[in-house]
């Protein structure tokens, strides 16, 4: 698929990287991946997909993450000062406030660098074709990361105070949600644990050989 520059369409990305990496035991955003780090690759994939504005929500070791993006254009870092006690939804809400001027935004876990550029583009094209408010990729019929969320949904997410985080907050828009089938295994692989990280590295190696 041809890579199309969608920056003029004001598509944004919010990358979540505020956590403590407790389960991993090492700080996963800065772990090596591909030719750089997990967090840099995650952001680079968004940029390659034509995302015009990227917000990285940091918390723990925020200064070290900031050092990775000193020379990057259109990448803004926002710190969640409540990262030790807050929920992931709080980071989502902080990020969305920074992209309220955009048409829509991807919400991407910062430890999922294997999501294919083509997947981001498919979601964008689907939203343009269907006028959906939320678009998810699906693999084997199950929803995966990342959702693409239209800005008209942001106020409801900012004001959501229930349990279940973003997943439940987005249930308000089920009627306007569309799913796009993909073959992208990268949508399923994160780095929560060391075993996950090894799987991520193995997947990257297999992709490099194809």
């Amino acid at each position: 698929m041809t890579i199309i520059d969608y920056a003029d369409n004001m598509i944004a990305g919010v990358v979540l990287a505020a956590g403590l990496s407790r389960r991993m035991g090492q700080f996963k955003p800065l772990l090596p991946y591909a030719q750089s780090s997990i967090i840099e690759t995650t952001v680079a994939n968004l940029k390659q997909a034509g995302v015009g504005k990227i917000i990285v929500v940091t918390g723990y070791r925020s200064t070290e993450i900031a050092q990775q993006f000193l020379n990057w254009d259109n990448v803004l870092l926002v710190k969640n000062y409540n990262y030790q006690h807050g929920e992931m939804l709080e980071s989502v809400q902080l990020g969305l406030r920074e992209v309220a001027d955009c048409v829509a935004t991807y919400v991407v876990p910062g430890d999922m660098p294997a999501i294919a550029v083509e997947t981001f583009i498919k979601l964008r094209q689907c939203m343009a074709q269907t006028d959906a408010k939320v678009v998810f990729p699906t693999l084997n019929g199950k929803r995966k990361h990342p959702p693409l969320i239209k800005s008209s949904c942001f106020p409801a997410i900012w004001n959501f105070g229930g349990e279940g985080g973003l997943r439940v907050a987005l249930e308000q828009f089920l009627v306007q949600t569309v799913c796009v089938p993909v073959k992208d295994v990268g949508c399923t692989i994160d780095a929560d644990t060391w075993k996950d990280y090894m799987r991520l590295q193995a997947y990257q190696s297999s992709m490099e050989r194809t």
Side-chain angles (χ1 to χ4, degrees):
M1 177 179 290
T2 302
I3 304 299
I4 301 172
D5 183 4
Y6 288 125
D8 290 340
N9 293 321
M10 294 297 290
I11 302 299
V14 170
V15 179
L16 308 173
L20 294 163
S21 302
R22 286 194 180 101
R23 292 175 62 193
M24 167 60 72
Q26 296 190 42
F27 190 49
K28 56 188 180 182
L30 301 184
L31 286 173
Y33 183 79
Q35 304 303 313
S36 55
S37 65
I38 285 179
I39 189 67
E40 288 175 278
T41 306
T42 302
V43 173
N45 288 343
L46 282 165
K47 289 184 75 70
Q48 190 179 352
V51 174
K53 182 178 182 180
I54 299 172
I55 306 299
V56 180
V57 183
T58 66
Y60 182 56
R61 294 171 66 171
S62 59
T63 301
E64 293 171 68
I65 294 179
Q67 290 293 318
Q68 310 303 307
F69 297 105
L70 288 177
N71 299 314
W72 290 56
D73 294 328
N74 302 321
V75 177
L76 173 67
L77 275 71
V78 176
K79 185 171 181 177
N80 177 0
Y81 287 92
N82 195 39
Y83 67 89
Q84 295 191 56
H85 309 290
E87 300 293 332
M88 186 177 291
L89 179 61
E90 188 174 289
S91 291
V92 173
Q93 292 166 332
L94 283 170
L96 293 183
R97 291 190 183 280
E98 299 295 332
V99 295
D101 57 336
C102 296
V103 173
T105 188
Y106 302 96
V107 175
V108 188
D111 63 345
M112 297 192 72
I115 297 172
V117 171
E118 183 180 34
T119 293
F120 291 114
I121 294 174
K122 282 184 175 180
L123 298 181
R124 164 66 181 86
Q125 291 175 332
C126 176
M127 181 169 280
Q129 293 165 0
T130 65
D131 202 32
K133 287 193 172 183
V134 181
V135 182
F136 278 96
T138 59
L139 189 66
N140 299 323
K142 296 182 179 179
R143 291 183 183 179
K144 302 299 177 182
H145 292 292
L148 177 60
I149 306 168
K150 193 162 284 187
S151 59
S152 59
C153 302
F154 293 178
I157 297 170
W158 292 330
N159 295 322
F160 181 77
E163 300 292 327
L166 181 63
R167 177 183 59 81
V168 175
L170 290 178
E171 289 180 358
Q172 301 172 78
F173 309 105
L174 282 178
V175 175
Q176 296 105 347
T177 296
V178 174
C179 294
V180 178
V182 299
K183 297 179 180 179
D184 181 13
V185 177
C187 289
T188 71
I189 311 174
D190 58 19
D192 276 348
T193 66
W194 193 256
K195 183 178 180 180
D196 294 334
Y197 178 55
M198 290 295 98
R199 183 182 173 216
L200 192 61
Q201 293 284 35
Y203 179 73
Q204 170 65 15
S205 297
S206 70
M207 295 299 289
E208 289 176 350
R209 292 195 296 268
T210 58

